[in-house]
Amino acid sequence: RARQAGPPDGGWGWMIVAGCFLVTICTRAVTRCISIFFVEFQAYFGQDYARTAWIHSIVDCATMLCAPLGSLISNHVSCQVGIMLGGLLASTGLILSSFATSLEHLYLSLGVLTGLGFALCYSPAIAMVGKYFNKRKALAYGIAMSGSGIGTFILAPVVQLLIEQFSWRGALLILGGFVLNLCVCGALMRPISLKEDCKTAPELLEQNYVPETEKQDLKRLSICSPLIKLWPHECLCYCSWKEYDFLLMPGFMVLAVSILFMAYGCSPLFVYLVPYALSVGVSHHQAAFLMSILGVIDIIGNITFGWLTDRRCLKKHRYFCYLFAVAMDGLSCLFLPVLQSFPLLVPFSFTFGYFDGAYVTLIPVVTADVVGTPLLSSALGVVYFLHAIPYLVSPPVAGWLVDTTGSYTASFLLSGFSMIFSSALLCLARLAKKIKRTHLQPLTGNTALKQHIWTNGAIAYSVTAELDQRDVEILAVDTNSFSNR
């Protein structure tokens, strides 16, 4: 297959966007709709908030914890194979969950097995969008990630209707068949080979950006490995042994810590919004409608924020747009405990849904800006892996706070402050980097020798050196003419 010079920014890339759109519907939207089963599970099995919340926690944790496994299969086997396998596992988990006789059964089938299937689909599909788009990357991600909002908007009332008509067991069985569409999404993920991702060994040795120590490793491998005969014809991926170097980058370290707090803050809201609405007197259909509102506004946030941050005036400030969106979601959570009626909860769903869609769209974009496009698949696997522990811990902790205090106030306040801290941490890190850069610029500017270099074939000439030599020759001529006089 021929290697392309750069992402096509269109063509089959829009089919990749469509496939990723369907993947987010079948993974993230279905995960969000599990919260609608919360009251049903609690009533059927007679358990408290904390124990029931572990179901949603395990699904989210398994999805994010196994994200690097999805990236590994995508990088070394095939993105298509990984997504199709994930679809089969997720569907099997949902179907087995419809026969559950205990919460522990749901922990394994709906939690571990379905979560593992979602993990094999989610991060590889998102990474494929980044490989097909460059100039319109944020818009492409906005459309692709809007599947989460559209799916929530459509599935929330549908799942509530399915529960009323067929009980929670029948609803899970139907969802299991619906999730099989992930296999169709996987078939759309046609692989692409870019020149920036893949170099042959001789090409790598000629590149200036490859450090000398790594050039020595290449030369050593070329002597010791019998595969050297294949190198002129086969693609040697530079990332094969250096694909996780970004873990030591200071910018990625700060991003990773902030992701932990952001994930802790956003997860309880999707689990407890419906139970909280029911606790303040909202009907079942109105509570499900709140999730639908959140989902449809999530779509608007995905697309509009993606389009806006692709504009020339905001493209350089996508990092701070991400911070702003996370902070606004945190502020929304702080106000939630005083909203105790359906007319007041509707504006909350609008606000939280819009900025949730906004920052979810920008996570892959910000990650690509930090580590670069060639490492995006591995980096996204790590980023979504970091969501695992907060997703696992935060809903049960929030449930324990509800069981202990008898209200949702402490849970929502903790979520809000966690997201605000995540935004503030990234903001302080970027300001510190900017201050450090401004202090270093005068030093480097005064000490650096500015020379203009031009080339003629394989020979490089220094303009200053040529001028100095010319001055010497002119001075010598003038001296000789003066002595002859």
Side-chain angles (χ1 to χ4, degrees), residues 244-256 367 369-372 375 433:
Y244 290 101
D245 273 358
F246 61 85
L247 291 174
L248 301 179
M249 295 172 57
F252 185 81
M253 289 181 179
V254 176
L255 178 64
T367 304
D369 290 343
V370 172
V371 304
L375 298 176
K433 183 178 179 180

Side-chain angles (χ1 to χ4, degrees), residues 50-265:
R51 283 178 58 84
T52 310
W54 277 106
I55 299 171
H56 193 284
S57 298
I58 295 173
V59 175
D60 269 335
C61 177
T63 301
M64 301 306 174
L65 189 68
C66 300
L69 178 61
S71 298
L72 183 68
I73 294 176
S74 174
N75 291 338
H76 297 283
V77 181
S78 170
C79 181
Q80 295 171 318
V81 171
I83 294 177
M84 288 181 178
L85 177 62
L88 291 174
L89 290 177
S91 177
T92 302
L94 286 166
I95 293 172
L96 291 178
S97 298
S98 66
F99 301 99
T101 56
S102 65
L103 281 183
E104 288 74 15
H105 186 163
L106 288 174
Y107 293 162
L108 293 176
S109 58
L110 185 57
V112 176
L113 190 58
T114 301
L116 175 61
F118 288 164
L120 298 183
C121 303
Y122 191 55
S123 58
I126 294 174
M128 284 294 290
V129 176
K131 290 184 177 181
Y132 270 84
F133 287 87
N134 183 24
K135 295 179 181 179
R136 292 179 284 186
K137 182 181 292 184
L139 176 61
Y141 271 126
I143 297 172
M145 304 296 281
S146 67
S148 176
I150 292 177
T152 305
F153 173 70
I154 298 173
L155 288 179
V158 170
V159 167
Q160 182 63 44
L161 183 62
L162 290 175
I163 292 174
E164 293 175 358
Q165 296 293 324
F166 305 105
S167 78
W168 63 267
R169 295 184 185 275
L172 286 175
L173 187 63
I174 294 172
L175 281 179
F178 173 73
V179 166
L180 273 176
N181 286 292
L182 286 169
C183 297
V184 180
C185 302
L188 295 174
M189 298 296 169
R190 180 189 298 172
I192 184 173
S193 181
L194 302 176
K195 289 185 178 180
E196 65 177 2
D197 297 335
C198 217
K199 296 284 185 181
T200 61
E203 289 173 341
L204 281 174
L205 292 172
E206 293 174 2
Q207 296 298 323
N208 293 328
Y209 60 80
V210 180
E212 288 298 327
T213 56
E214 292 167 12
K215 288 184 179 181
Q216 295 300 324
D217 293 338
L218 281 172
K219 292 177 181 178
R220 191 179 303 112
L221 284 172
S222 67
I223 295 174
C224 300
S225 175
L227 295 177
I228 182 60
K229 296 180 180 179
L230 300 176
W231 281 6
H233 308 287
E234 296 292 328
C235 183
L236 178 64
C237 183
Y238 175 65
C239 303
S240 60
W241 59 87
K242 290 293 181 181
E243 58 186 350
Y244 290 101
D245 273 358
F246 61 85
L247 291 174
L248 301 179
M249 295 172 57
F252 185 81
M253 289 181 179
V254 176
L255 178 64
V257 175
S258 72
I259 288 290
L260 293 174
F261 286 94
M262 182 272 293
Y264 182 91

Side-chain angles (χ1 to χ4, degrees), residues 410-434:
S411 300
F412 292 144
L413 289 180
L414 183 59
S415 297
F417 283 121
S418 179
M419 299 188 77
I420 291 174
F421 178 78
S422 171
S423 177
L425 179 65
L426 285 176
C427 184
L428 291 175
R430 179 54 64 95
L431 291 177
K433 183 178 179 180
K434 188 174 182 179

